[in-house]
Protein backbone atom coordinates (compact mmCIF):
# COMPACT_ATOMS: atom_id res chain seq x y z
CA UNK A 1 0.00 0.00 0.00
CA UNK A 2 1.86 3.04 -1.32
CA UNK A 3 0.80 6.00 0.78
CA UNK A 4 3.14 8.31 -1.13
CA UNK A 5 3.21 7.90 -4.88
CA UNK A 6 5.59 9.30 -7.45
CA UNK A 7 4.17 8.03 -10.70
CA UNK A 8 6.97 9.21 -12.98
CA UNK A 9 10.08 7.05 -12.55
CA UNK A 10 12.11 9.48 -14.65
CA UNK A 11 11.97 12.94 -16.18
CA UNK A 12 14.23 14.71 -18.68
CA UNK A 13 14.38 18.51 -18.80
CA UNK A 14 16.48 20.91 -20.82
CA UNK A 15 18.99 22.97 -18.85
CA UNK A 16 17.53 26.37 -18.00
CA UNK A 17 13.92 25.23 -18.24
CA UNK A 18 11.54 24.41 -15.40
CA UNK A 19 11.53 20.93 -13.84
CA UNK A 20 8.24 19.84 -12.27
CA UNK A 21 8.20 16.74 -10.12
CA UNK A 22 4.87 15.44 -8.93
CA UNK A 23 3.76 13.48 -5.90
CA UNK A 24 0.40 12.15 -4.71
CA UNK A 25 -0.54 10.84 -1.30
CA UNK A 26 -3.44 8.84 0.03
CA UNK A 27 -3.29 9.36 3.79
CA UNK A 28 -5.37 12.42 4.68
CA UNK A 29 -3.65 12.52 8.09
CA UNK A 30 -0.34 13.55 6.52
CA UNK A 31 0.32 17.16 7.45
CA UNK A 32 4.01 17.63 6.75
CA UNK A 33 5.68 17.04 3.40
CA UNK A 34 9.32 16.95 2.41
CA UNK A 35 11.45 16.62 -0.69
CA UNK A 36 14.84 14.94 -0.67
CA UNK A 37 17.48 14.73 -3.36
CA UNK A 38 19.79 11.77 -3.76
CA UNK A 39 22.98 11.33 -5.75
CA UNK A 40 24.40 7.84 -6.38
CA UNK A 41 26.41 6.39 -3.49
CA UNK A 42 25.22 9.14 -1.15
CA UNK A 43 22.41 9.37 1.35
CA UNK A 44 19.38 11.56 0.56
CA UNK A 45 19.72 15.22 1.45
CA UNK A 46 16.85 17.38 2.57
CA UNK A 47 15.71 19.99 0.04
CA UNK A 48 12.54 21.69 1.13
CA UNK A 49 9.43 21.03 3.19
CA UNK A 50 5.91 22.34 3.54
CA UNK A 51 3.37 22.18 6.31
CA UNK A 52 -0.28 21.52 5.53
CA UNK A 53 -1.23 24.99 6.73
CA UNK A 54 0.53 26.42 3.67
CA UNK A 55 0.04 25.87 -0.05
CA UNK A 56 3.42 27.12 -1.20
CA UNK A 57 6.95 27.28 0.11
CA UNK A 58 9.88 28.75 -1.77
CA UNK A 59 13.62 28.44 -1.24
CA UNK A 60 15.78 29.88 -3.99
CA UNK A 61 15.27 27.91 -7.18
CA UNK A 62 13.03 25.37 -5.41
CA UNK A 63 9.31 25.82 -4.79
CA UNK A 64 6.94 23.25 -3.39
CA UNK A 65 3.20 23.53 -3.99
CA UNK A 66 0.63 21.67 -1.94
CA UNK A 67 -2.96 20.99 -3.02
CA UNK A 68 -4.60 19.37 -0.02
CA UNK A 69 -7.97 18.78 -1.65
CA UNK A 70 -6.29 16.83 -4.45
CA UNK A 71 -3.74 15.24 -2.09
CA UNK A 72 -1.05 16.36 -4.47
CA UNK A 73 2.21 18.20 -4.18
CA UNK A 74 4.80 19.25 -6.69
CA UNK A 75 8.37 20.46 -6.66
CA UNK A 76 9.36 23.14 -9.17
CA UNK A 77 13.01 23.80 -9.99
CA UNK A 78 13.65 26.99 -11.93
CA UNK A 79 15.96 27.26 -13.75
CA UNK A 80 17.15 23.67 -13.97
CA UNK A 81 20.90 23.18 -13.74
CA UNK A 82 23.14 20.18 -14.56
CA UNK A 83 23.80 19.58 -10.85
CA UNK A 84 20.08 19.02 -10.35
CA UNK A 85 20.36 15.64 -12.07
CA UNK A 86 19.57 13.22 -9.26
CA UNK A 87 16.77 11.11 -7.80
CA UNK A 88 14.13 13.14 -5.99
CA UNK A 89 12.07 11.60 -3.22
CA UNK A 90 8.79 12.94 -1.97
CA UNK A 91 8.02 12.16 1.68
CA UNK A 92 5.23 12.76 4.14
CA UNK A 93 4.51 12.39 7.81
CA UNK A 94 1.78 12.94 10.35
CA UNK A 95 4.01 15.60 11.84
CA UNK A 96 1.69 16.64 14.62
CA UNK A 97 1.53 13.04 15.77
CA UNK A 98 5.31 12.82 15.66
CA UNK A 99 5.06 9.87 13.30
CA UNK A 100 7.44 8.22 10.89
CA UNK A 101 8.39 9.72 7.52
CA UNK A 102 7.07 7.76 4.54
CA UNK A 103 8.86 8.07 1.20
CA UNK A 104 7.77 7.63 -2.39
CA UNK A 105 9.73 5.53 -4.87
CA UNK A 106 11.53 8.51 -6.32
CA UNK A 107 11.79 10.25 -9.69
CA UNK A 108 15.09 10.33 -11.55
CA UNK A 109 15.62 13.79 -13.04
CA UNK A 110 17.96 14.18 -16.02
CA UNK A 111 18.99 17.70 -16.95
CA UNK A 112 19.93 17.79 -20.62
CA UNK A 113 22.61 20.20 -21.89
CA UNK B 1 28.88 19.46 13.41
CA UNK B 2 29.48 15.87 12.30
CA UNK B 3 26.81 14.26 10.16
CA UNK B 4 25.20 10.85 10.42
CA UNK B 5 27.84 8.12 10.26
CA UNK B 6 27.09 4.62 9.07
CA UNK B 7 29.50 1.71 9.22
CA UNK B 8 30.54 -0.26 7.34
CA UNK B 9 30.01 1.37 3.93
CA UNK B 10 30.08 -1.93 2.07
CA UNK B 11 29.43 -5.48 3.15
CA UNK B 12 29.27 -8.84 1.38
CA UNK B 13 27.63 -11.71 3.20
CA UNK B 14 26.56 -15.24 2.36
CA UNK B 15 22.94 -16.37 2.37
CA UNK B 16 21.97 -17.65 5.81
CA UNK B 17 24.45 -15.47 7.69
CA UNK B 18 23.53 -12.57 9.91
CA UNK B 19 24.75 -8.99 9.77
CA UNK B 20 24.87 -5.96 12.07
CA UNK B 21 24.94 -2.41 10.75
CA UNK B 22 25.78 0.62 12.84
CA UNK B 23 24.59 4.20 12.82
CA UNK B 24 25.84 7.18 14.82
CA UNK B 25 23.36 10.07 14.66
CA UNK B 26 24.06 13.77 14.68
CA UNK B 27 24.95 14.94 18.16
CA UNK B 28 21.80 15.89 20.05
CA UNK B 29 19.47 13.88 17.82
CA UNK B 30 17.58 11.25 19.77
CA UNK B 31 15.57 9.73 16.92
CA UNK B 32 17.12 7.23 14.54
CA UNK B 33 15.21 5.66 11.64
CA UNK B 34 16.30 2.91 9.29
CA UNK B 35 15.30 2.54 5.64
CA UNK B 36 15.95 -0.05 2.96
CA UNK B 37 16.49 1.16 -0.59
CA UNK B 38 16.21 -1.26 -3.49
CA UNK B 39 15.88 -0.44 -7.20
CA UNK B 40 12.30 0.45 -8.04
CA UNK B 41 11.11 0.37 -4.42
CA UNK B 42 12.29 3.68 -3.13
CA UNK B 43 13.01 4.08 0.55
CA UNK B 44 11.09 1.57 2.61
CA UNK B 45 10.75 2.29 6.29
CA UNK B 46 12.13 -0.36 8.61
CA UNK B 47 11.83 1.10 12.11
CA UNK B 48 12.43 4.14 14.25
CA UNK B 49 14.01 4.40 17.67
CA UNK B 50 13.70 7.27 20.09
CA UNK B 51 15.40 7.32 23.47
CA UNK B 52 16.20 3.61 23.23
CA UNK B 53 12.60 2.63 22.48
CA UNK B 54 11.26 1.38 19.18
CA UNK B 55 8.51 3.83 18.38
CA UNK B 56 7.52 2.84 14.87
CA UNK B 57 7.91 -0.28 12.78
CA UNK B 58 7.49 -0.94 9.07
CA UNK B 59 6.30 -4.07 7.30
CA UNK B 60 9.43 -6.17 7.42
CA UNK B 61 9.80 -9.72 8.75
CA UNK B 62 11.10 -10.41 12.24
CA UNK B 63 14.55 -11.21 10.79
CA UNK B 64 15.06 -7.44 10.78
CA UNK B 65 15.63 -6.00 14.22
CA UNK B 66 17.30 -3.04 15.79
CA UNK B 67 18.20 -1.33 18.98
CA UNK B 68 19.33 2.02 20.26
CA UNK B 69 21.84 2.74 22.96
CA UNK B 70 21.82 5.42 25.63
CA UNK B 71 24.14 7.59 23.52
CA UNK B 72 21.54 7.40 20.67
CA UNK B 73 23.76 5.23 18.49
CA UNK B 74 21.74 2.53 16.79
CA UNK B 75 22.36 -0.88 15.33
CA UNK B 76 20.32 -2.85 12.86
CA UNK B 77 20.54 -6.61 12.64
CA UNK B 78 19.39 -8.93 9.88
CA UNK B 79 19.45 -12.64 10.59
CA UNK B 80 19.26 -15.57 8.17
CA UNK B 81 20.14 -13.38 5.21
CA UNK B 82 18.35 -13.90 1.92
CA UNK B 83 19.43 -12.82 -1.56
CA UNK B 84 16.58 -10.30 -1.59
CA UNK B 85 18.06 -8.51 1.40
CA UNK B 86 20.73 -7.07 -0.88
CA UNK B 87 20.11 -3.33 -0.72
CA UNK B 88 21.34 0.03 0.46
CA UNK B 89 20.47 0.46 4.12
CA UNK B 90 20.10 4.06 5.18
CA UNK B 91 19.98 5.51 8.64
CA UNK B 92 18.47 8.92 9.37
CA UNK B 93 18.55 10.96 12.53
CA UNK B 94 16.37 13.84 13.63
CA UNK B 95 15.45 15.92 16.61
CA UNK B 96 11.96 14.44 16.23
CA UNK B 97 10.12 17.42 17.50
CA UNK B 98 7.04 18.25 15.45
CA UNK B 99 7.65 18.84 11.74
CA UNK B 100 11.37 18.38 11.49
CA UNK B 101 13.38 16.87 8.71
CA UNK B 102 15.60 13.82 9.00
CA UNK B 103 19.29 13.78 8.05
CA UNK B 104 20.67 10.73 6.32
CA UNK B 105 23.97 8.93 6.44
CA UNK B 106 25.67 7.65 3.30
CA UNK B 107 24.29 4.17 3.83
CA UNK B 108 25.64 0.64 4.01
CA UNK B 109 25.59 -1.30 0.75
CA UNK B 110 24.82 -4.92 1.66
CA UNK B 111 25.30 -7.63 -0.94
CA UNK B 112 24.10 -11.14 -0.15
CA UNK B 113 25.60 -13.89 -2.30
Amino acid sequence: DQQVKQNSPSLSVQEGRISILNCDYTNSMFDYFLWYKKYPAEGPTFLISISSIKDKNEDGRFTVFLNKSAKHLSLHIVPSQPGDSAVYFCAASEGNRDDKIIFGKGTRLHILP
Amino acid sequence: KAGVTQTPRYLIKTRGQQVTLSCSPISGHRSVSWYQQTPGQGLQFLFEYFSETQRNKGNFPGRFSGRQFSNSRSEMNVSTLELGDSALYLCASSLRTVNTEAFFGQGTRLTVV
Side-chain angles (χ1 to χ4, degrees), chain B residues 23-99:
Chain B
C23 172
S24 293
I26 291 172
S27 177
H29 286 192
R30 291 161 64 193
S31 168
V32 173
S33 298
W34 289 88
Y35 293 85
Q36 181 195 66
Q37 186 189 11
T38 52
Q41 291 301 314
L43 295 166
Q44 295 187 281
F45 176 79
L46 279 154
F47 29 66
E48 181 203 5
Y49 286 87
F50 184 87
S51 293
E52 302 178 66
T53 301
Q54 187 181 87
R55 203 160 58 169
N56 282 298
K57 192 175 189 308
N59 297 323
F60 277 81
R63 300 185 297 107
F64 292 80
S65 63
R67 59 177 175 168
Q68 187 179 34
F69 302 94
S70 59
N71 61 357
S72 293
R73 190 178 70 86
S74 177
E75 287 182 348
M76 191 192 97
N77 185 276
V78 188
S79 62
T80 320
L81 283 166
E82 300 176 0
L83 296 178
D85 297 333
S86 295
L88 179 68
Y89 289 89
L90 290 156
C91 162
S93 78
S94 74
L95 286 167
R96 221 51 184 114
T97 53
V98 173
N99 291 350

